[in-house]
Each structure stands twice: as C-alpha cells, then as structure tokens.
Amino acid sequence: MPKIIDVKELDFIYMPGSPYEQNALKNISFSLDEGEFLGIFGPNGSGKSTLVQLFNGLLSPGRGTVTVCDTDTADKKLRQQLWKKVSLVFQYPEQQIFQISVYDEVAYGPRNLGISETEVRQRVYLALEQVGLIPEETIGVTPISLSGGMRRRVAIAGMLALNPEILVMDEPMAGLDPIGRKLILDIINNRKEHKLTSVMTSHNLKEIIAIADKIAIMDSGCLVFFGAVSELLENNNILAKYRLELPDHIQLLSALAERGLKVNTNIRSLNEAALEILRLLA
Amino acid sequence: MTGIKIGQYVHGDSFLHSLDPRIKIICCIVIMVSVLINYSWYYLLFHLLLIIMAIKASGLSFRFMSGCLRSIRYLLLVTFVLQIFLTPGEAVLSLGRISISQEGLLIASINLLRLLILFFGSLLLIMTTSPIKLSAGIEFLLLPLNKLNIPVHHFTTILSISFRFIPTLIEEATIIKNAQRSRGAQFDSPNLIVRLKSYMAIIIPLFEASLLRAEELGEAMDSRCYTGHPNQLRMSSLKLMGKDLVLLGFMFLVLGIGISISLGSS
C-alpha cells in the first residue's frame, strides 16, 4: 500500500530564537496508508493543530521531513500547491465565511482551482448534499443568516468541493449537536468507502474509535502512541495515563474478559459487540 | 504564532523594560520634539546613536529591529524620492526635465533620518512596555484633563482593551489567512487585483468576528457591573526610581541643547 503521509524525525519550533520560542513538535515519525482514517488525540497544546498544518503545507518542517501525496513539504513551491490535494478544515471553520451567498462561499475553493463554472456548480451541489443540505434551498441564502451549526456545514462543504485526496479536520466536532457530530462521521465513512484518506484531531476517542484505522496520541509535542486501534485497546498503560475513555460496549467486553470469560475484545462497533455478547449467552 | 510581530510587546527584564512607563512616554515625546525642532546633522546622528544604544539596552535583536523597516519601506522611499526631485536648488543630476538638487538630497536625507528616529523610538516604547503599564502611564499623564471634564479613564479603558486585543486579532487574522490559503487564496499573487481580492477574504470575517467580540465583551462588562472610574490600583503600582529621573533629566538636557542650537543658528 503506498504511503500517502510519511513523517520522519519531525521537529517544529515556533518563534525560534525569540523569548517566546516553543518546541511544538519533537522527533515525530509515522506514516499513513492511502485510504486510511487517522484519528489524532491529545490534550490542548499537545501539538495536534501544528502537526495537521504541516500536512497541507501551511507550515514547513523545521527538522526532518514531511512527505504528503509524494510532495516534499520542505520545497516552498511544491508546498504552496498542496492545498489542491489536501484540504484542511480549521477549528470553527464557520469563522472563515466571507461570501454573500452559500453558493459563492462553497465555490470559492473550486474557482481558485481554475476549473469551468459548470464543474464548479456540480461540485458545489455535490458538496452541499454531502453535508446534508439541500442545494436548491440553500445556494441563494446569505451565510450570516444561518445558525452556527449550518454555517459549519457550509464551511466544510467548501473544503469537500475541492475533492481533496486527503481531508484533514481539526476538531470539527467542537460545539456541534449530536446530528452535526453524526454528519462528520458520515462524511468520513463515505470517504472510507471511496478509499479516500482522512485525518481528524479530537478529544473524544469514543466517537471515532469505531471507524478509525490508525490512532496517534500526542503529549507535549511528542508522539506517545501510533498504531492500529486494536493495538491501542491492548495498551492499558496508554489508555489509563491519558484517561482515554472507551465506548461502553468495549468497556463491557474488556470487563467480561477480565473475569475469565472467553470473549473477543478486538471489537469496535456496537453491533459487533452485541453479536459477541449474544454468542456468549448462547 | 509564526514569529514576533512588529509592535508586539516582548517580555523581558532589560534596562528599558524596567523603566517607568510614564518616563518612557515622556522621553519618546521629547525625542519627537527634539528631532523636529533641530535638523542639524550631528544632532540627528546623536539621536540615532541614542536609539542604537536603547535597542542594545532593550535586549531586542538588531536583526529583528532592522527587519521592521520593511513595513515602512514605501513611506521612506516615497519621502526620499519626492524630496530629492521636488526641492528646488543647485542641480547635481538632471534626468530630462527633472533634476536632483543638492538641497533636495540634503533635506531628503535629514527627513529620512528623522523618520527612522521617530519609528524606532515609538517601536521601542511599545515593544518594551506591557499594554497594562502603557495604559496606566497614559492614564496618569492625561489625568489633568479630568479637570476639564474629559473622562480620561474611559479613554484609557478603550485604549487598554485595544492593546489587549491586538495579539488576539493578529492570531485570528493568521488563522483566517491560513484557512483561506487552504482554499487557494493567492496572497502572494503578482497581480495586485487578485491580491486585494484575496485580502477581502480575511478582512470581512475579521470584521465580523471583531464586532461580535465587542458585543460580547460589552455584555460581559455590564454583567460584572462595570462603571467607568479611574483605575487607582493600576496607577498606584507605578513607582519612579532614580534611573527614571536621571534618564528624564538627560533627555530634557538634550532637548534644551537642541533648542538653544536652533535659536542660535536662527
């Protein structure tokens, strides 16, 4: 499987040589296969947002290398074109909205790609549908008249309309209602079905454990864990140290296993857990 | 958070940081007056030397300070070019109908020097004085206006809130700029129109966010029963030291010499 993100011995320092110098990332190395979904966890200030800004070339690596979609992000010219392949949805993306209509807002990115207006229109309609909005009803609406949650959908549609090879979302669920949170998960599931890569930073392991392929846990700029979800579930030290709360059904299976019952603990979704318990009862 | 921004307060414990804000403000005004009333070469060069010594005493790097000149390069260039071409006098170089005069070169160089002194003087003031100290200093110096029924404390509250939100606005503008860059905004385009259009994508959301924040801050102040009154606690924290008085005396001495030279030459 080709590596779509390859990070080697990465260091990143903010304001080097100044009184405010801050070593944001320290010796980070990992790689991600194409089509996988990576969840990045860690407390505030652990370096999650800095790391994802290196994926789409907004920042350049201080030391080490970051190769994304076969592009070395240390090269300024190549880095500046990376937005065409990697879409980064910032925290509270609704704050970046500036156009007078939803259509123009979603079309801003595709228009910058230089594609025809017909294709722009197709992409806008498709992106709005992907975020659960009805294009015919929303394209003419002024974004400022929408609620916060709806505006975030519009902002995310603006990034989806770029048809990115990698979709990176920086805490997209912060402040969203349950419907909005489910929508984000649906978008990632949809991308997984189409073998498209996604990355998401979050504080809530419960929400994405069922669909994540790889998990990265960061602390004070260091990558303290990187691996498959099954490896994380076996690593009680990391789970306890970072107080990563697992979904109730996984906790139940682990508790049953601890009591000596022969139960498969390598299960993530609620349905699988229900089937496993039924099997046990039978 | 990509680097220290021009005009941003830089935390430190240097000689300049430790001075009383009132003295720094007065010294800055004295320098402004000095370089405006006296335009002799040696006097201006002496001030430039003082500024260089002040930069050294501030702990700020010369490289960063000289880099700040980039932000006013067009002002310096336009001032210099207009004065060398528009000042009448003995021509030293003629380009068709326009010529560069000897007097023009002299005045342009003097004014360039004045601008540099004024720029670095005010930059040192705001980069070595915390926003809280700066507004306390301004409030103290403007106190006499209270007798004219001018609400100085309201003015300084506005000022301190503005100072407080400058870093927040810079950070927000950086985030919005990065977000728009992720959608292909061309801030580095050689085409000026494209560049201006790209910047609209920052200005509009930034204005919206600022207005919302102002509204929220107003409500938060109301809910905590804010009533305008002089900030005694902040002002009583200001203490004059011996070094403040020595510096103040020295700057007034320099000003006095400048005035007497000007009066003598006229």
Side-chain angles (χ1 to χ4, degrees), chain A residues 14 20 22 56 96 105 112, chain B residues 1 9 11 180 182-183 205:
Chain A
Y14 280 115
Y20 300 117
Q22 188 196 347
N56 85 331
Q96 74 196 36
E105 185 59 39
N112 284 331
Chain B
M1 207 158 61
Y9 169 65
H11 184 72
Q180 306 301 21
S182 300
R183 297 202 286 166

Side-chain angles (χ1 to χ4, degrees), chain A residues 80-243:
Chain A
Q80 285 177 340
Q81 297 302 314
L82 210 52
W83 65 273
K84 295 175 183 172
K85 294 178 180 172
V86 186
S87 282
L88 173 58
V89 180
F90 276 77
Q91 285 178 37
Y92 305 105
E94 58 274 20
Q95 289 174 354
Q96 74 196 36
I97 289 175
F98 73 103
Q99 295 280 17
I100 203 146
S101 72
V102 167
Y103 181 88
D104 286 332
E105 185 59 39
V106 181
Y108 181 72
R111 279 178 181 151
N112 284 331
L113 284 173
I115 55 179
S116 70
E117 197 57 34
T118 319
E119 198 183 336
V120 169
R121 197 171 185 81
Q122 283 171 356
R123 286 191 182 200
V124 171
Y125 273 60
L126 194 64
L128 286 172
E129 280 167 6
Q130 277 180 290
V131 297
L133 296 172
I134 302 165
E136 291 77 11
E137 289 177 8
T138 43
I139 52 169
V141 176
T142 310
I144 203 159
S145 64
L146 296 171
S147 67
M150 295 295 253
R151 293 181 75 189
R152 188 170 302 182
R153 289 185 191 204
V154 171
I156 293 172
M159 303 312 285
L160 290 173
L162 287 163
N163 284 354
E165 286 180 38
I166 306 174
L167 177 69
V168 185
M169 292 195 271
D170 193 3
E171 294 189 30
M173 299 205 191
L176 279 187
D177 58 14
I179 298 169
R181 301 166 98 86
K182 187 179 175 301
L183 182 91
I184 304 280
L185 297 178
D186 288 346
I187 290 169
I188 291 169
N189 262 328
N190 184 33
R191 287 182 63 81
K192 276 190 76 171
E193 281 168 19
H194 291 89
K195 306 271 180 239
L196 290 167
T197 314
S198 307
V199 178
M200 183 169 126
T201 71
S202 176
H203 285 291
N204 196 343
L205 185 64
K206 269 184 180 181
E207 280 177 324
I208 64 166
I209 200 159
I211 56 168
D213 295 302
K214 294 276 168 64
I215 298 282
I217 297 173
M218 298 191 65
D219 186 19
S220 308
C222 299
L223 185 66
V224 292
F225 175 85
F226 182 84
V229 175
S230 54
E231 291 170 43
L232 177 68
L233 294 177
E234 288 164 9
N235 196 330
N236 287 329
N237 285 343
I238 290 282
L239 290 172
K241 188 176 178 188
Y242 294 99
R243 296 182 183 183

Side-chain angles (χ1 to χ4, degrees), chain B residues 2-252:
Chain B
T2 49
I4 298 175
K5 304 285 184 298
I6 178 171
Q8 180 188 336
Y9 169 65
V10 180
H11 184 72
D13 53 1
S14 69
F15 171 74
L16 226 58
H17 282 85
S18 66
L19 289 172
D20 187 285
R22 294 166 292 181
I23 300 301
K24 281 195 265 189
I25 296 167
I26 294 172
C27 287
C28 211
I29 296 167
V30 167
I31 289 175
M32 282 180 197
V33 176
S34 299
V35 299
L36 290 177
I37 58 163
N38 192 315
Y39 50 85
S40 51
W41 269 104
Y42 51 88
Y43 193 70
L44 291 176
L45 283 174
F46 174 70
H47 272 85
L48 194 64
L49 185 71
L50 282 182
I51 291 285
I52 291 169
M53 284 163 66
I55 294 174
K56 182 79 186 155
S58 72
L60 295 167
S61 81
F62 281 100
R63 197 173 156 197
F64 172 77
M65 293 301 274
S66 50
C68 290
L69 281 176
R70 276 174 59 86
S71 59
I72 58 159
R73 62 190 186 277
Y74 294 118
L75 174 75
L76 297 176
L77 188 74
V78 170
T79 311
F80 191 80
V81 169
L82 286 182
Q83 286 195 321
I84 57 170
F85 284 114
L86 298 180
T87 310
E90 191 184 328
V92 285
L93 183 73
S94 291
L95 300 163
R97 290 179 65 190
I98 52 171
S99 60
I100 297 173
S101 67
Q102 197 177 347
E103 289 80 356
L105 269 174
L106 190 70
I107 291 175
S109 308
I110 284 172
N111 282 335
L112 201 68
L113 210 51
R114 277 172 162 170
L115 282 175
L116 287 178
I117 293 165
L118 295 178
F119 176 69
F120 283 124
S122 36
L123 204 59
L124 279 171
L125 171 69
I126 52 175
M127 291 189 79
T128 61
T129 318
S130 72
I132 290 174
K133 280 187 174 177
L134 197 58
S135 51
I138 294 171
E139 185 166 0
F140 186 91
L141 294 173
L142 294 180
L143 269 184
L145 292 178
N146 265 338
K147 289 185 178 159
L148 301 172
N149 283 334
I150 295 172
V152 173
H153 47 279
H154 283 316
F155 170 68
T156 48
T157 301
I158 294 168
L159 208 63
S160 58
I161 290 173
S162 313
F163 286 145
R164 150 69 186 82
F165 280 102
I166 287 172
T168 312
L169 276 178
I170 292 174
E171 201 168 310
E172 211 159 56
T174 311
I175 292 170
I176 296 173
K177 188 176 184 182
N178 282 339
Q180 306 301 21
R181 191 173 271 158
S182 300
R183 297 202 286 166
Q186 297 169 53
F187 299 110
D188 307 321
S189 167
N191 186 332
L192 186 68
I193 303 293
V194 174
R195 225 158 59 205
L196 283 176
K197 275 187 182 171
S198 299
Y199 274 100
M200 287 305 285
I202 300 178
I203 292 165
I204 294 172
L206 199 60
F207 256 103
E208 192 197 334
S210 306
L211 292 173
L212 276 173
R213 179 168 293 121
E215 194 183 355
E216 283 167 8
L217 184 69
E219 281 169 8
M221 286 167 84
D222 274 345
S223 67
R224 286 187 283 173
C225 309
Y226 170 80
T227 49
H229 55 79
N231 199 328
Q232 297 296 353
L233 185 69
R234 194 186 290 171
M235 279 194 291
S236 61
S237 68
L238 300 174
K239 294 265 184 306
L240 276 182
M241 312 277 279
K243 57 187 174 186
D244 295 310
L245 297 171
V246 170
L247 182 74
L248 190 67
F250 175 73
M251 289 314 297
F252 272 105

